[in-house]
Amino acid sequence: MPYRLSSLFLRTLREDPADAEVESHRLLVRAGYIRRAAPGVFSWLPLGLMVKTKIEQIVREEMAAAGAQEVFFPALLPKEPYEVTGRWDDYGDNIFRLKDRKDAEYLLAPTHEEVFTLLVKDLYNSYKDLPLSIYQIQNKYRDEARPRAGLLRGREFVMKDAYSFDVTDEGLEVSYQAQRAAYERIFTRLGLEYVIVSADAGAMGGSKSEEFLSPSEIGEDSFVRSASGFAANVEAVRFSQSPAITPNKQAAEDHASPNTPTIATLVSFSNENHPKPDGTWEASDTLKNVVLALIAGDGKRRLVTVGIPGDREVDQKRAEAWFGCDVEQANEADFKSHPELVKGYIGPRKDSKQFLGLEAESKIEYLLDPRIAEGSSWITGANKDQMHTWHLTFGRDFSADGIADIAEIRAGDPAPDGSGPLEMARGIEIGHIFQLGRKYAEALGLKVLDSNGKLVTVTMGSYGIGVTRLVAVIAEACHDDKGLMWPDSVAPANLHIIAAGKDEAAFEAAESLTAGAEALGLRVMLDDRPKVSPGVKFADAELIGNPWIIICGRGVAEGEVELWNRVTGERSQVKIDSVLAELMAKR
RNA sequence: CGGGAUGUAGCGCAGCGGUAGCGCGCCUGCUUUGGGAGCAGGAUGUCGCAGGUUCGAUCCCUGCCAUCCCGACCA
């Protein structure tokens, strides 16, 4: 049956909703696809539901092709499994928690690793049962501190989450690759541009993870890419150690450097008082030694010092990914408990002896940015108030405990794989795949007997796609100033037929074309509203955004209708008898 | 959790001490029908909530709540 606009549960808005900032939110509300029910929570009207359903269908087909079986868990879950893995606490305020009448605690699941693991444990106990991949398409609940951008970051959203179970690491790799390939097919079928970036596994744990990002200005994820194919999340980029260079012959020398607590003041002081033999000192000639506090799970702070080129800042997210824990700049209390650290004048060496480092005087770990090449010389702190060292050379005058690749990345930095300069870009996360390894299976005791009759812990992967987010991402990528422009694969209808004017013949032609198109297997939206002016119908057709439009209007008297491509804007007069054939040929 | 803004009809907004208005949408009638029609008539509100000031508060004051934006956070 066609959608009939004369009776469809739909009201398009002529004006933009005031609370919608991003295009997808604005248009989805205006065109009557969704309505806000609460912050980050949306109701789905018939058109929105159809788009969502079509996306889900594509996901289902590709999951089946990848060998994954569909299941369905509750969204409402008891807290116990999440306590076992620690996530009841780890998620903090981001979990919606509730109690039943007996005061038993529940949560609305933010993700389902625990219960999937437990279900497999319930049912399976032999290696012969594995590998297994199962998935569901389910509502997820996260009490986001700040939901935003309509469907892009909601508190209730639909996610396809798949989980793989294998006995061996090699098996996990195979399962992982099967999901990865399925994701590529899904996003391609949805008509989305995407990049796969290596990512930080973060709170999910596990060894390897990749994100699928849809490039977009309004994306919340920063990633870098090179022209020849390198792409990575900013947190996950790893630079290799710069090769050693031949040190210059200048000996290191300490000098008083009054009033130079910052890199800028130090650089101008150096140029005035200790000019560079072959040019001008720049911020990149200085070695900035930052003191960081690594915060363990129990809240204990451990200080480390990291030397980075003076023209760069520490990127906190990269630091947290590198160290695998929360990281803060050292605070006043930290400096108080380490009076040997002279704020603003910290350096690796003091009085011609190594100062920073686990084995050195300070006993504070000292790590270096990988850009700091052996043999390179630096202006850096001398660990005395108003005192710096010039020509301090790595490998000759000081050493380090290791590297810390936590400096900010800049556009133009060379890609770590040598594929050229990096450019910065933003993207929306549309999929994320993880090799979880044995973290959850270990915690929840998921073991099977192997071929030798020995109990072995199962290794897992988890694979997520934000289905409702995809609705917004596609809308974000496919629209113009008039409205939405859905790809045929997800549009509410393949064809939008307008009966324009008041002429009975136009309505009859529209009805008969509708029947004809449906016989060809097309889903049709028929604008059969009586007494609505053509202008309104045209505007609504453009706003709603089905890929093809046929206008039955004045031309019907001469046996002609207009075939209109919503995406290209191309419009042509076509004989009624041949319009469907032409449409089928073009789509 | 910090900073900012805003809460008045379904949507977009105005009003600012004297008990509420405009546009769109909605209902009725007539006219109109290829780019969000015209005319006439009509329905719709705890002016976010609670206190306070005042003869009188949508308007001023205090507190709270909510929403949106920026930031922090975000499998």
Side-chain angles (χ1 to χ4, degrees):
Chain A
M1 290 296 290
Y3 288 110
R4 287 181 182 272
L5 285 181
S6 56
S7 56
L8 184 64
F9 183 47
L10 170 75
R11 175 122 300 142
T12 57
L13 304 177
R14 193 188 290 216
E15 286 173 285
D16 288 337
D19 61 354
E21 287 287 312
V22 300
E23 293 289 276
S24 57
H25 186 196
R26 212 192 99 221
L27 289 170
L28 288 169
V29 172
R30 245 192 87 195
Y33 283 71
I34 57 170
R35 299 289 286 188
R36 196 191 74 100
V41 181
F42 291 86
S43 306
W44 293 77
L45 306 186
L47 296 185
L49 190 58
M50 179 52 69
V51 173
K52 179 163 88 76
T53 302
K54 287 196 160 183
I55 294 171
E56 289 171 352
Q57 186 53 33
I58 289 172
V59 170
R60 284 197 169 93
E61 289 168 15
E62 295 301 339
M63 282 296 112
Q69 303 172 59
E70 185 166 7
V71 297
F72 192 74
F73 279 79
L76 176 66
L77 292 169
K79 74 166 174 180
E80 283 73 20
Y82 289 80
E83 279 198 311
V84 172
T85 55
R87 294 209 292 185
W88 177 259
D89 295 322
D90 290 350
Y91 263 94
D93 288 339
N94 284 330
I95 290 188
F96 280 104
R97 298 156 200 265
L98 57 170
K99 288 183 178 172
D100 69 8
R101 62 176 67 207
K102 297 180 203 157
D103 254 12
E105 294 189 275
Y106 286 80
L107 64 121
L108 294 174
T111 173
H112 279 77
E113 277 77 9
E114 282 81 355
V115 285
F116 268 79
T117 308
L118 286 173
L119 188 66
V120 173
K121 181 185 174 187
D122 250 8
L123 265 48
Y124 277 5
N125 36 41
S126 161
Y127 75 98
K128 291 179 187 167
D129 296 324
L130 303 182
L132 171 72
S133 287
I134 46 181
Y135 77 99
Q136 65 173 347
I137 295 176
Q138 238 295 6
N139 278 182
K140 302 288 185 226
Y141 297 85
R142 294 184 193 168
D143 191 0
E144 297 283 350
R146 183 153 96 82
R148 77 183 93 183
L151 256 22
L152 285 171
R153 178 163 293 280
R155 296 193 300 166
E156 177 185 77
F157 56 97
V158 176
M159 179 160 118
K160 185 283 307 180
D161 47 326
Y163 304 85
S164 68
F165 301 85
D166 282 274
V167 179
T168 63
D169 294 345
E170 295 71 35
L172 170 57
E173 182 66 27
V174 171
S175 299
Y176 179 91
Q177 290 302 334
Q179 284 286 324
R180 192 180 191 275
Y183 277 37
E184 298 201 65
R185 289 192 300 271
I186 289 166
F187 298 133
T188 300
R189 285 180 64 181
L190 293 174
L192 281 175
E193 191 198 339
Y194 64 91
V195 293
I196 304 175
V197 303
S198 47
D200 180 54
M204 290 291 284
S207 52
K208 176 177 177 183
S209 100
E210 290 174 292
E211 275 178 320
F212 289 72
L213 299 179
S214 171
S216 166
E217 295 279 316
I218 60 164
E220 294 179 317
D221 287 73
S222 299
F223 69 102
V224 293
R225 56 179 164 184
S226 73
S228 37
F230 175 84
N233 197 298
V234 164
E235 286 101 287
V237 181
R238 296 282 177 265
F239 292 97
S240 46
Q241 177 70 52
S242 296
I245 59 173
T246 313
N248 65 31
K249 303 228 164 51
Q250 298 258 192
E253 35 189 76
D254 292 357
H255 293 293
S257 55
N259 302 317
T260 57
T262 66
I263 295 293
T265 50
L266 176 61
V267 169
S268 53
F269 176 87
S270 299
N271 281 321
E272 275 169 37
N273 300 284
H274 306 282
K276 194 175 185 178
D278 55 347
T280 317
W281 295 115
E282 307 285 351
S284 55
D285 293 312
T286 67
L287 180 62
K288 174 157 75 179
N289 297 287
V290 298
V291 186
L292 300 175
L294 308 188
I295 302 167
D298 58 7
K300 285 222 171 77
R301 300 167 77 87
R302 179 170 77 87
L303 294 193
V304 299
T305 49
V306 180
I308 62 175
D311 60 334
R312 293 197 186 243
E313 300 294 333
V314 169
D315 180 319
Q316 188 174 346
K317 284 189 171 180
R318 278 168 54 69
E320 295 188 342
W322 179 268
F323 291 112
C325 62
D326 285 352
V327 176
E328 280 179 11
Q329 297 274 346
N331 58 29
E332 289 303 321
D334 294 322
F335 277 102
K336 232 174 206 159
S337 60
H338 289 273
E340 70 277 20
L341 294 173
V342 186
K343 212 175 166 184
Y345 299 90
I346 297 168
R349 196 177 80 150
K350 182 180 183 181
D351 295 329
S352 304
K353 290 199 305 277
Q354 182 79 22
F355 172 73
L356 293 175
L358 291 167
E359 308 296 322
E361 181 186 335
S362 68
K363 306 279 191 236
I364 298 173
E365 187 171 10
Y366 184 54
L367 304 169
L368 280 178
D369 185 280
R371 291 176 188 79
I372 313 286
E374 195 165 327
S376 58
S377 297
W378 303 88
I379 305 173
T380 191
N383 299 300
K384 292 175 186 170
D385 193 33
Q386 324 247 8
M387 188 78 114
H388 278 90
T389 305
W390 277 258
H391 309 297
L392 194 74
T393 301
F394 179 41
R396 181 190 74 186
D397 303 322
F398 71 99
S399 61
D401 297 315
I403 64 168
D405 189 8
I406 62 172
E408 60 177 341
I409 297 174
R410 289 196 202 135
D413 284 349
D417 66 350
S419 62
L422 292 174
E423 65 166 8
M424 309 290 292
R426 296 184 76 76
I428 302 168
E429 181 184 354
I430 52 178
H432 202 158
I433 53 179
F434 297 86
Q435 292 191 6
L436 294 174
R438 297 183 170 80
K439 171 180 170 179
Y440 292 90
E442 193 82 59
L444 295 161
L446 171 57
K447 296 180 183 189
V448 295
L449 289 170
D450 70 9
S451 56
N452 301 315
K454 273 177 45 186
L455 274 178
V456 292
T457 301
V458 169
T459 182
M460 293 170 53
S462 89
Y463 316 94
I465 288 181
V467 173
T468 43
R469 178 181 282 182
L470 276 178
V471 175
V473 169
I474 298 169
E476 206 60 53
C478 307
H479 71 269
D480 62 14
D481 56 342
K482 296 263 177 58
L484 296 158
M485 300 190 301
W486 297 108
D488 189 59
S489 56
V490 300
N494 310 106
L495 174 61
H496 187 126
I497 297 180
I498 294 173
K502 60 175 177 180
D503 204 351
E504 198 58 32
F507 282 77
E508 282 164 14
E511 288 286 353
S512 100
L513 283 174
T514 299
E518 292 203 317
L520 292 168
L522 299 182
R523 176 125 198 142
V524 181
M525 182 174 294
L526 172 61
D527 196 342
D528 58 347
R529 289 175 290 180
K531 297 186 176 181
V532 171
S533 72
V536 171
K537 293 184 175 182
F538 299 154
D540 276 344
E542 285 170 304
L543 180 58
I544 290 168
N546 291 129
W548 290 94
I549 302 163
I550 292 176
I551 305 170
C552 302
R554 282 177 177 155
V556 168
E558 288 80 51
E560 284 192 342
V561 293
E562 192 171 329
L563 180 60
W564 179 7
N565 182 312
R566 173 66 181 96
V567 177
T568 63
E570 186 190 337
R571 299 164 77 149
S572 52
Q573 292 294 132
V574 183
K575 289 287 173 201
I576 293 178
D577 298 339
S578 58
V579 66
L580 291 176
E582 183 162 341
L583 169 62
M584 293 306 277
K586 283 183 169 173
R587 81 186 268 266

